[in-house]
Each structure stands twice: as C-alpha cells, then as structure tokens.
Amino acid sequence: MVEMKKNVSYPLVYSLVTLALILPVATTTVERAFSAMNIIKNRLRNRIGDQWMNDCLVTYIEKDIFKTIECEEIMQRFQNMKNCRGQL
C-alpha cells in the first residue's frame, strides 16, 4: 500500500491493516505481563501494594537486563542512599 501511495488515498484502511498487524505482538506482550503478575502476586502475597508490585514486575519482566548488573553495584547504591534506613 505504501509503495503505491494507497495509504494516502485510504487512510482508514491503512490504519486498520496496521492495527491488524500489530495486534498479535501487543496481545503477546500483555499476556506475558499478566503471566508475570500471576507469578509475583499469588495468594501468599495478595496484599502487595501497587508501587511494590510494579517494581517487582519490572524486574521480573526485564530480568535479562537485571542479570547483567553486578551485586556489588546494587549494594553500593543502597549503601549510598542515606535516607533509606529511615524509610524502612
């Protein structure tokens, strides 16, 4: 459609085709997020807060990125946070 410039003549059809092609990818991403949420938020941790659950989900979903971070870097960062002890 784009090569023949039909997307300009038929913008609604072009949008429909684009959405139809994106839908399986978007659905898979949402299903993965809900699957991760079911793993993290189970019956034992049913009262988990929204922010804490969000942080846990991000670390679980992006675990490949977090595996590259060294434990020493994480410990240094928390030790440098001086107000952390007051909040806990």
Side-chain angles (χ1 to χ4, degrees), residues 15 17 20-21 37-38 45 49-50 53 55 60 64 76 79 82 86:
S15 296
V17 169
L21 292 173
M37 187 174 65
N38 286 334
R45 291 174 270 174
D50 290 338
M53 186 177 73
D55 294 342
Y60 183 80
D64 295 334
Q76 287 296 323
Q79 287 174 353
K82 295 184 180 175

Side-chain angles (χ1 to χ4, degrees), residues 28-68:
T28 305
T29 306
V30 171
E31 286 180 10
R32 283 184 188 155
F34 276 109
S35 177
M37 187 174 65
N38 286 334
I39 291 170
I40 291 175
K41 189 173 182 178
N42 56 22
R43 266 190 262 156
L44 297 174
R45 291 174 270 174
N46 197 21
R47 296 175 189 236
I48 193 170
D50 290 338
Q51 185 62 40
W52 179 249
M53 186 177 73
N54 186 32
D55 294 342
C56 289
L57 283 173
V58 168
T59 55
Y60 183 80
I61 292 170
E62 302 294 338
K63 59 187 161 198
D64 295 334
I65 296 171
F66 283 98
K67 284 181 182 177
T68 62

